[in-house]
Structures are given as C-alpha cells and as structure tokens.
Amino acid sequence: MDVVFLSRLQFAVATIFHFFFVPLTLGLSVLTAIFETMYVKTGDEDYKRAAKFWGKLFLINFALGIVTGITLEFQFGTNWAQYSKYVGDVFGSLLAIEATVAFFLESTFIGVWIFTWDKISKKLHAICIWLVAIASNISALWILLANGWMQHPVGYVIRNGRAELASFWDVVTNSFGWMIFIHTLSGAYILAGIFVLGISAYHLLKKNEVTFFKKCFKVAAVWLIIFSLFEGINGHFHAQEVMKYQPTKGAALEAVWETGDHVPLYLFVIPDSKNEKNSVEIGKIPSLTSILAGHSPSTVVKGLKDFPRDERPPVGITMWSFRLMAGLGILFILLGIIAVLKKENIENYPGLLKIFLYAIPLPYIANELGWIVAEVGRQPWIVYGLMKTKDAVSHLVTSQVIISLLAFIIIYSLLGAVDFYLLVKYAKKGPESLK
Amino acid sequence: MLNIIWFVLWGVLWAVYFMLDGFDLGAGTLMPFLAKNDKEKRVIYNAMGPLWDGNEVWLITAGGATFAAFPTTYAVMFNGLYSALLLLLFALIVRGVSFEFRGKVESEGWKKIWDFCLFIGSFLPALLLGVAFANIFRGLPIDENGIFHGGFFTLLNPYGLLGGILFVLMFLVHGAIWIAIKSEGDLRNRALSVANKIWYLELIFAVIFLVVSAFATDLWENYGKYPLLWIIPLLAVAGLILIKIFLLKEKDWKAWFSSSLFIVMATFWGVAGLFPRMIPSTINPEYSLTIYNSSSSPLTLKVMFIVALIFVPIVIGYQIWVYNLFKGKITDKELSYEEAY
C-alpha cells in the first residue's frame, strides 16, 4: 500500500461518510422551512410541530454534516498538496467563496433558529430557517462547481508550471458543474422526501398522531414525485454530457469497448478489463446505448479501446454503480407515484407503509453510488485530462496516512453510530404533543 | 499591491477567528473546572450555544483564503503539519458534536462523555494553534521544493510550546470573561475570579514570549525597519492592562473587548513580523515562502478581493446582529426551553 492508495482510501472514507449527512441537510432544511412557512401562513399548530419535529432530526444530522465537512477542506492540503499547488489558483478560490458566501450564513443562522422560537417574531424565525436552507444549497453550488471543474476543467491556462485562472466567468458558468449541481441536489431532495415519507409511514403503521403524520406524508409525496421525475430527466442529460466531455467514463458506464454506431445496451454485463471485452453479455437491446447517448441509433459511441490502458477507469465499479443508481432512480419515481395516488388514505395500506419505511436506506445508497460513478469513473485523472491522481499526492510516509486513516475510521464509526442511534430515537419519539 | 492586501486580510481572518472562537475554546476548557453542577455546565454550553458554529467558520474561511490566495503556502503548511492539523481537526470534530449530543440522552455517563469531548476538543485546538503559529513565526525546516524535513515532534520545541501555552492562557482569560458575561451570581463570581488569577499567568507568559521571540525568531526586525508598526505591540500591551483594570471594576463587557484587542493585536504582532514571508525556512532563508512566490495569479487575487469586499462586511453585519440578539445572560427560563443544550 502506497501513499497514493492510502490517501485515496482516506478521501473516500471521509467523503462517503460526509455524504451520509449532506443530502438530508440539503433537502430537510427546505422541507422544514416549508413546514414552518405553512405554519406562519395558516396558523395551524401541526405545522409548527412539524417544523420542530423534522427540525430536530435535521439538527442531529446537521451536527455531523458540519464537522465532517471541515475534513474535506483539510484533506486537499494534507494529502493532496501537489494538487493544491497545481490547481489552487482556480480550485481554492471556489472553496474560499463557498465559505465566505454560504458557510457563514448557514452556521450563523442555524444558531439563531435553534434558540429563538420565543425570542423573535414568527416571520423572522421562518426567515432564519430559509436562510439556512438557501445557504446550504448555495454551498452545494460552489463545491459542485469546484467538482465540476475537476470533471471538466474550463477557464484556465497553464502558466508558471500550474493551472491559472483565465476566465472566472467560464468557471462559474461551466455547464458540467451546473449539471452536477442540479443532479446532486435533486438526489438530495429525493432522499429527504423518502426520509419524511418513511418516518411518517412508521408512525402511521403504529396509529400514532395519524392526522399529523398524514399532513407530513402529503407534503413529502408531492415533493418526491416532482424531484424523482426531474432527476430522471436531468440525469439523462447529465449522462449525455459525460459521454461528450468524459468519453472514458462514458464508455465505462455501459462497458463499451469498440467504437461504433448502433451500440446496443446489455441488461447484464460482466466486463473483463484485462482482455478488453465483456466476458458476459445478456439481454441485448439493439442500439439503445447510441440512442441514449445522442437520441439517434446512428450516434457514434467511443469505446474504451480508443484510449490507452493507463487512461481508463475501473470499468466494473463504474458500470455497476451507474446501473444500480439508475435502477434505484426509476424505483423512486414509482414510489413517488404510489405516494401521490394513495396519499389521501395511505393509513389504510399497511403493506405500502412498510415499503416506504424500508425504502429509507435506498436513496442513501443511490446518492453514494452516484458519487462513486463520478469519482471512480474519472480515474486515473484527478482533474480530467489535466492531472493524474498519482501526481497529486502530498509528500508523506505511509505510516502517517495509515495512522490517520485508522483514526478516521474509528472516530467516524463511533460518531456515526451515535448519530444513527439519536436519529432513530427521536424519529420514533414523534412530535411534542399539543399543549 | 494585491499580494499585500491579501496578506493583511489573511492576518485579519486569523485574528478574528482567535478573537471569536477563542472564548469558546477557553470556556470549553474551563467548563469541567468551573461548573459545580449540571445546571452550571448547561449555562456554559448555552453561553456558546448559538455562536460557536458561526465562530468556527472564520477558521474555515482563513483556511480557504490561504488556499485561494496563497495555494503554495496552503499546500506546504497542511502537508508539513500533517499530524498536528489532523489532530486539530479531530479535536474540532468532537467539540462540535458534543453541543448537539450531550442533552439528547438522560444519563450521567452519557453527559460525562460529551463533557470530556468538549474539554479536550477545546483545549487541544487552543494548544495546537499556538504551537503551530509559534513554529511558523520561528520558521519550518522546508527545502526549496517546500518539502518539510521533520515530524510532529519537530514542532514541540521550547518556543513552539511557549506559543501553545500562551494561546491557552489567552483563551482561558477570554473564555472566563465570556462565561462571566453570560452568567449570574455564584458562577459569574467564580468566572471573574478565575479570569483575574489567570491574567497574571497570561501577563508573565506574554512577556516571556516577546523576549524569547527576540532570540528564537527575527520577527522584531520589521519593527526596526518600519517604526510605525510599534503601534501594534503598544495596543497589545494596552489591551492586556485594560483587561485587568476592567476586571477589577467588574465591567465584564469592557474586559472582554480589552481581551479581544489583546488577542487581535498579539496576532497582528506576529503576522507583521513575518511580512513579507508566510513560512520562513530554517534550512535556508532563500527557501522561505513569501506573499510573492506562493501566491495565486493576479486575476484570482482580484476576483477574490472583490468577493471579500462584498461579502465580508455583510458577514460582519449579520454576526453583530446575532451577538446583539444573544448578549443577555442565560436565565432559568432559557435553560427550560426544549431547544436549549
């Protein structure tokens, strides 16, 4: 095990763990803000209880999201110093803007929101949670523009032995970054929607606070159908952009080896990178990969063989993560349709309620798989076409990274277990009863 | 010119971070010793409750600004100080969650765990930040490629440790005054008495640090070159003395502002001494990282300057509003809210 491998592992642990908390933060902050706004507009105490109940779960989740986010900023310097030196001119500024524009707003007003239910006017209090929600979503925009730049670098010039900013405008209008932003955000909203549906379903199964949880279920049902459908559409266009700008990742998504048109899609594939072919191909749908890539069977799809071996990503992981993610995405649309159709009397369908309860982990898996496609699929590049991951690492000895990696695993496992325990505890407890 | 502006901004970001999160770190370190029962502990938690998170962002922004404006300094510093910075990170992680987790389960053992996490997560960052900055003042063993020739224990030299102790003492006084501001009766009296006592240690170590700096570093050289800079250490001395005067008069807020003045000026004193270097090299002065050889391109510095010019005043504006909102004492009524920590 070398420093590159260990640092990659450490970064994977840190990001995957961080991303267990981020999507719920992004989505549930908006949903909590919606509940509180409904309370301000209608005066219905149930919506205040909803804002407090979902807000409490939001905060338990938020605590770990915040502290594990700092890790990522540190990692670029501690483990990827060559990367930081080479692209800091472009990449560092996006992180700094994220902190200045979004983190301050988010972290300052979350404190205000927690402690001022009885201190400031209802409206101002609702504005505070909206500021938190907007700020966390803006922070997602900046960090994803930064990631978008790693996926598809634009607006830079190689000068003084590094990548220097040539056009800030090009960097912030990078369509690839915006696509990742939209795709990640909808994925996060789907997760939050299923979270609310699932926990509401748990209480409806127990006949606990039926009126209250039906109100929550209805809001989340409409929310889920909107974002699951939208995710399908924007995901399709995002994949087309990947095919265009990241042909190696694009070919790996469907395990395409030979360049050509009328490329079929196989329902089941086992790729064999060594022999540059698929050892198993079952369930051929003619021309579908070409159609998906360019809306026409004659679209040419580049195959992996067109690229040197040392510029190809791990095909199996990329392809299977992509398939599972896309499959789950279709399932979420079905869940959204069922939720909307049955939302008026969902309490009479215990079987469906159980499905929603047990569906809670699925969007977590889908979100993580999406990142695996994005990051593993970009390999061996850290910045696509510009810098390789192996050239990006810090000057460290393996023992340093082994110790820190173990520390991360131990501390994160303990904190993750505590957070999970508290989330379950307070989700089961339900809202405070009406006074 | 932009390089100099960013160097000043860099110093300001760190100084504001030390001023704001400094009282959290100090109060968290004092909590186990100062609070006699669970209620007093909760007063201390809630004294920081709505503010600590917004304070910590100044650190993230200081880090982010280093990355954006001086990427080479960022890379060399974080790579070289790998173990120290990750230790700082772990400490900040356990501190952050202890606020949210502590009150969520009714059990003595549970609370003890998070009380310990708050303590260690406050004390360690105070110490490590002091050690790190003293070492930067002194210079790091970096070669022409910015590679750090040393390990974690290289940092634990006498001057580095002296810096660590000074930071802990500064934050303890700062935190004790903050607890006094936010509490009443017995707890306030004890906090004031602790601040009064630790102040003497703060004074002694500040003097020792300044004197030793003349031998261990060349920070004072700039003060010979630019006599106008003397205003910084003079203001620092004034702040330090004013802390004592206002403490004796029991003017809590004025004492806190004096302590803030001292912390900010102490930071500026070191940063001004570094100029124009960001990390001096102890191997060869030629290898030092400066605001010129480690900076971003003029375009990036310009873009970032515009962003800072617009958003930093906005941030300061709403943070002042929030401090004003939470300037009152923690009362029994506030502790009874279900949202309180």
PDB file of all heavy atoms in Angstrom, chain A residues 187-198:
ATOM      1  N   GLY A 187     -31.122  14.634  -6.195  1.00  0.00           N
ATOM      2  CA  GLY A 187     -30.879  13.377  -5.476  1.00  0.00           C
ATOM      3  C   GLY A 187     -31.034  13.584  -3.976  1.00  0.00           C
ATOM      4  O   GLY A 187     -31.601  12.740  -3.263  1.00  0.00           O
ATOM      5  N   ALA A 188     -30.531  14.706  -3.498  1.00  0.00           N
ATOM      6  CA  ALA A 188     -30.628  15.015  -2.067  1.00  0.00           C
ATOM      7  C   ALA A 188     -32.089  15.229  -1.673  1.00  0.00           C
ATOM      8  O   ALA A 188     -32.541  14.772  -0.620  1.00  0.00           O
ATOM      9  CB  ALA A 188     -29.813  16.268  -1.754  1.00  0.00           C
ATOM     10  N   TYR A 189     -32.850  15.894  -2.555  1.00  0.00           N
ATOM     11  CA  TYR A 189     -34.260  16.155  -2.240  1.00  0.00           C
ATOM     12  C   TYR A 189     -35.068  14.853  -2.232  1.00  0.00           C
ATOM     13  O   TYR A 189     -35.971  14.681  -1.426  1.00  0.00           O
ATOM     14  CB  TYR A 189     -34.853  17.141  -3.252  1.00  0.00           C
ATOM     15  CG  TYR A 189     -34.335  18.566  -3.114  1.00  0.00           C
ATOM     16  CD1 TYR A 189     -33.406  18.894  -2.138  1.00  0.00           C
ATOM     17  CD2 TYR A 189     -34.789  19.574  -3.942  1.00  0.00           C
ATOM     18  CE1 TYR A 189     -32.936  20.203  -2.007  1.00  0.00           C
ATOM     19  CE2 TYR A 189     -34.336  20.886  -3.819  1.00  0.00           C
ATOM     20  CZ  TYR A 189     -33.390  21.186  -2.856  1.00  0.00           C
ATOM     21  OH  TYR A 189     -32.937  22.471  -2.730  1.00  0.00           O
ATOM     22  N   ILE A 190     -34.714  13.941  -3.155  1.00  0.00           N
ATOM     23  CA  ILE A 190     -35.379  12.638  -3.151  1.00  0.00           C
ATOM     24  C   ILE A 190     -35.132  11.944  -1.812  1.00  0.00           C
ATOM     25  O   ILE A 190     -36.045  11.419  -1.179  1.00  0.00           O
ATOM     26  CB  ILE A 190     -34.846  11.755  -4.312  1.00  0.00           C
ATOM     27  CG1 ILE A 190     -35.308  12.317  -5.657  1.00  0.00           C
ATOM     28  CG2 ILE A 190     -35.299  10.312  -4.148  1.00  0.00           C
ATOM     29  CD1 ILE A 190     -34.655  11.639  -6.858  1.00  0.00           C
ATOM     30  N   LEU A 191     -33.889  12.000  -1.363  1.00  0.00           N
ATOM     31  CA  LEU A 191     -33.540  11.347  -0.096  1.00  0.00           C
ATOM     32  C   LEU A 191     -34.355  11.936   1.053  1.00  0.00           C
ATOM     33  O   LEU A 191     -34.945  11.214   1.862  1.00  0.00           O
ATOM     34  CB  LEU A 191     -32.042  11.503   0.172  1.00  0.00           C
ATOM     35  CG  LEU A 191     -31.500  10.825   1.432  1.00  0.00           C
ATOM     36  CD1 LEU A 191     -30.110  10.262   1.176  1.00  0.00           C
ATOM     37  CD2 LEU A 191     -31.467  11.746   2.636  1.00  0.00           C
ATOM     38  N   ALA A 192     -34.418  13.264   1.108  1.00  0.00           N
ATOM     39  CA  ALA A 192     -35.160  13.893   2.199  1.00  0.00           C
ATOM     40  C   ALA A 192     -36.647  13.550   2.110  1.00  0.00           C
ATOM     41  O   ALA A 192     -37.306  13.323   3.123  1.00  0.00           O
ATOM     42  CB  ALA A 192     -34.953  15.404   2.165  1.00  0.00           C
ATOM     43  N   GLY A 193     -37.169  13.492   0.875  1.00  0.00           N
ATOM     44  CA  GLY A 193     -38.577  13.153   0.695  1.00  0.00           C
ATOM     45  C   GLY A 193     -38.881  11.751   1.210  1.00  0.00           C
ATOM     46  O   GLY A 193     -39.845  11.541   1.949  1.00  0.00           O
ATOM     47  N   ILE A 194     -38.044  10.788   0.844  1.00  0.00           N
ATOM     48  CA  ILE A 194     -38.275   9.411   1.278  1.00  0.00           C
ATOM     49  C   ILE A 194     -38.059   9.282   2.790  1.00  0.00           C
ATOM     50  O   ILE A 194     -38.748   8.528   3.475  1.00  0.00           O
ATOM     51  CB  ILE A 194     -37.396   8.445   0.456  1.00  0.00           C
ATOM     52  CG1 ILE A 194     -37.884   8.448  -0.990  1.00  0.00           C
ATOM     53  CG2 ILE A 194     -37.433   7.040   1.038  1.00  0.00           C
ATOM     54  CD1 ILE A 194     -37.070   7.594  -1.939  1.00  0.00           C
ATOM     55  N   PHE A 195     -37.142  10.079   3.330  1.00  0.00           N
ATOM     56  CA  PHE A 195     -36.909  10.110   4.781  1.00  0.00           C
ATOM     57  C   PHE A 195     -38.207  10.513   5.501  1.00  0.00           C
ATOM     58  O   PHE A 195     -38.647   9.846   6.445  1.00  0.00           O
ATOM     59  CB  PHE A 195     -35.788  11.116   5.057  1.00  0.00           C
ATOM     60  CG  PHE A 195     -35.336  11.202   6.491  1.00  0.00           C
ATOM     61  CD1 PHE A 195     -34.383  10.327   6.991  1.00  0.00           C
ATOM     62  CD2 PHE A 195     -35.848  12.186   7.328  1.00  0.00           C
ATOM     63  CE1 PHE A 195     -33.951  10.427   8.300  1.00  0.00           C
ATOM     64  CE2 PHE A 195     -35.420  12.303   8.644  1.00  0.00           C
ATOM     65  CZ  PHE A 195     -34.472  11.419   9.136  1.00  0.00           C
ATOM     66  N   VAL A 196     -38.831  11.591   5.017  1.00  0.00           N
ATOM     67  CA  VAL A 196     -40.065  12.063   5.653  1.00  0.00           C
ATOM     68  C   VAL A 196     -41.198  11.055   5.431  1.00  0.00           C
ATOM     69  O   VAL A 196     -41.948  10.729   6.359  1.00  0.00           O
ATOM     70  CB  VAL A 196     -40.451  13.463   5.111  1.00  0.00           C
ATOM     71  CG1 VAL A 196     -41.826  13.871   5.614  1.00  0.00           C
ATOM     72  CG2 VAL A 196     -39.412  14.498   5.529  1.00  0.00           C
ATOM     73  N   LEU A 197     -41.311  10.528   4.228  1.00  0.00           N
ATOM     74  CA  LEU A 197     -42.353   9.534   3.938  1.00  0.00           C
ATOM     75  C   LEU A 197     -42.172   8.299   4.818  1.00  0.00           C
ATOM     76  O   LEU A 197     -43.126   7.794   5.408  1.00  0.00           O
ATOM     77  CB  LEU A 197     -42.310   9.113   2.460  1.00  0.00           C
ATOM     78  CG  LEU A 197     -42.769  10.136   1.426  1.00  0.00           C
ATOM     79  CD1 LEU A 197     -42.510   9.612   0.021  1.00  0.00           C
ATOM     80  CD2 LEU A 197     -44.243  10.466   1.604  1.00  0.00           C
ATOM     81  N   GLY A 198     -40.941   7.826   4.926  1.00  0.00           N
ATOM     82  CA  GLY A 198     -40.657   6.590   5.661  1.00  0.00           C
ATOM     83  C   GLY A 198     -40.949   6.732   7.149  1.00  0.00           C
ATOM     84  O   GLY A 198     -41.565   5.853   7.759  1.00  0.00           O
TER      85      GLY A 198
END
